[in-house]
Amino acid sequence: MTQTSTQSQHTHRIRLAEEWLHSCAGCEMAFLNIGEHLLDLLQDIDIVHMPVLMDHKYYGQKGEYGQRRLPKADIGLVSGGCANEEHKEILTHMRAQCDVLVALGTCATHGGIPAMANNWGMQETYEQVFQTSTCETTSVPADHLPRPLDRVYALDELVSIDLLLPGCPPNPTHIAEIIGSLVAGRQPQLPSKSVCDTCPAIRTGKMVSKEVKRFTCNCVFDHEQPIDTMRCLLEQGFLCMGPVTMAGCARDGAPCCIRARVPCRGCYGPARQGGHQMMDMLNAVSGSGVDVKSIVDRKNMLRFSGAHNRLRVRRKRK
Ligand code: SF4
Ligand code: SF4
Ligand code: SF4
């Protein structure tokens, strides 16, 4: 963590740049959802580059630069996975221009939704997008598109990253904490436990079923009673990814999905550094005596963390 680089810059306003790669803009919405506190932060920071908010052209207003220019910044936030040569170039450029680089959101930290393409590979994914009945185009466009990489990468697979802030989208409070802590020259206070550690559901240590239920069944709860009267959804037989997923989404005393009485899908990525959400979850489930064969699509457990070679194209047997 390059804390010293920000500590030495207290004498000037902090310059913040933000970029989005293979992103849905949800992370940028989360940045805006910092809300009124953003006005406080703007007392200390200048946003020098943020395509989603600012008309800041890479090549100059009329293309006069001739090559892409990104401004120097103390803090850089980058959202989205890295799927093509253009993403890779922008990411490398941001790394060169920013003292502290933050991977913003689960796509950036673990591949997220874009890395689901790693299940099939880029070629087949493109063919699915451009050559199915939902699209009039009959061939994959070859011109004017950046060349795809061999797979979708998380940012730390391609450049060094100083801070990881997962979440799909990340919690706005934690985005503000990262910016505020870097402005103040201190370490950010971020969650380090699992979703289960922030969940008030009742755990008895006993599973009600030896088989995992499909999400098409409803869980059992009394909607007139508070959330801490509900039995743990995993114990009820649902594949709740809370045990293996990083905390961060809890508000009003419970993780977001659990508060809505639905199982955690794992959107904050693995709870432990280098964790494997599918293997860790299979271990947790089988350790409770549940038949792991009853899990219909195991790879789905990597739906948010398919980078780092977790999801790979399965070679077809000859
Ligand atoms: S992490 Fe989620 S919200 Fe952020 S860019 Fe990816 S899909 Fe969108
Ligand atoms: S498994 Fe799900 S419902 Fe159970 S404690 Fe963990 S997060 Fe809560
Ligand atoms: S409960 Fe799980 S899936 Fe839902 S927001 Fe939290 S981490 Fe994401």
Side-chain angles (χ1 to χ4, degrees):
M1 163 71 193
T2 54
Q3 195 175 4
T4 46
S5 61
T6 51
Q7 277 172 329
S8 62
Q9 289 155 3
H10 274 132
T11 49
H12 68 87
R13 290 171 63 76
I14 298 291
R15 291 164 62 86
L16 182 138
E18 201 270 353
E19 261 293 352
W20 49 356
L21 307 177
H22 204 329
S23 156
C24 77
C27 287
E28 286 68 23
M29 294 307 110
F31 178 88
L32 292 178
N33 275 343
I34 293 173
E36 281 188 25
H37 185 37
L38 189 54
L39 298 177
D40 299 331
L41 292 172
L42 287 172
Q43 304 288 323
D44 294 311
I45 63 170
D46 288 325
I47 300 175
V48 294
H49 176 75
M50 190 180 252
V52 76
L53 288 183
M54 301 167 60
D55 182 14
H56 180 249
K57 298 193 167 47
Y58 293 139
Y59 298 91
Q61 212 58 22
K62 295 181 179 171
E64 63 272 19
Y65 298 159
Q67 58 183 6
R68 185 188 302 113
R69 276 195 202 171
L70 292 175
K72 280 271 179 203
D74 301 297
I75 307 170
L77 308 175
V78 181
S79 73
C82 208
N84 62 41
E85 292 291 350
E86 185 182 57
H87 295 152
K88 192 175 169 185
E89 280 174 25
I90 292 173
L91 174 62
T92 308
H93 205 152
M94 281 290 281
R95 176 66 281 181
Q97 295 298 82
C98 302
D99 290 342
V100 176
L101 197 61
V102 181
L104 179 69
T106 306
C107 293
T109 58
H110 297 96
I113 299 297
M116 288 174 78
N118 293 347
N119 242 328
W120 303 278
M122 301 305 269
Q123 184 60 33
E124 190 173 332
T125 301
Y126 272 50
E127 285 167 8
Q128 283 291 322
V129 170
F130 290 104
Q131 296 186 314
T132 55
S133 53
T134 56
C135 179
E136 286 179 6
T137 311
T138 52
S139 61
V140 178
D143 300 328
H144 313 301
L145 277 184
R147 208 157 54 86
L149 301 176
D150 59 326
R151 64 177 173 88
V152 178
Y153 290 79
L155 306 192
D156 66 353
E157 295 185 272
L158 299 172
V159 300
S160 67
I161 294 292
D162 300 299
L163 273 171
L164 304 171
L165 184 62
C168 183
N171 189 327
T173 311
H174 299 146
I175 304 175
E177 165 62 9
I178 281 198
I179 297 170
S181 67
L182 291 173
V183 168
R186 62 172 172 79
Q187 290 284 351
Q189 304 292 313
L190 296 172
S192 57
K193 295 183 172 175
S194 73
V195 170
C196 284
D197 291 322
T198 64
C199 180
I202 297 168
R203 277 158 279 188
T204 64
K206 291 191 186 132
M207 309 289 284
V208 297
S209 158
K210 294 291 172 203
E211 291 194 348
V212 168
K213 295 176 190 161
R214 304 292 304 273
F215 285 161
T216 47
C217 315
N218 285 331
C219 63
V220 177
F221 66 94
D222 182 341
H223 64 88
E224 289 185 349
Q225 296 301 317
I227 190 77
D228 60 5
T229 61
M230 182 178 79
R231 178 93 179 264
C232 165
L233 298 179
L234 186 58
E235 291 188 359
Q236 288 194 37
F238 295 95
L239 195 66
C240 184
M241 301 277 289
V244 301
T245 301
M246 176 59 80
C249 65
R251 274 171 230 168
D252 302 329
C256 274
C257 298
I258 311 304
R259 224 176 52 219
R261 323 278 173 153
V262 294
C264 170
R265 308 293 296 253
C267 84
Y268 268 62
R272 62 183 180 88
Q273 199 177 8
H276 190 300
Q277 281 181 296
M278 181 181 79
M279 297 309 293
D280 293 349
M281 195 63 203
L282 287 174
N283 273 337
V285 169
S286 61
S288 311
V290 170
D291 181 6
V292 293
K293 292 200 188 106
S294 61
I295 301 173
V296 178
D297 185 356
R298 297 179 198 180
K299 279 177 142 191
N300 245 330
M301 290 185 267
L302 292 168
R303 62 172 79 77
F304 289 102
S305 52
H308 300 104
N309 263 323
R310 294 285 190 263
L311 280 177
R312 277 177 259 182
V313 182
R314 198 182 299 164
R315 300 262 169 261
K316 290 194 178 93
R317 286 197 188 136
K318 291 186 182 163

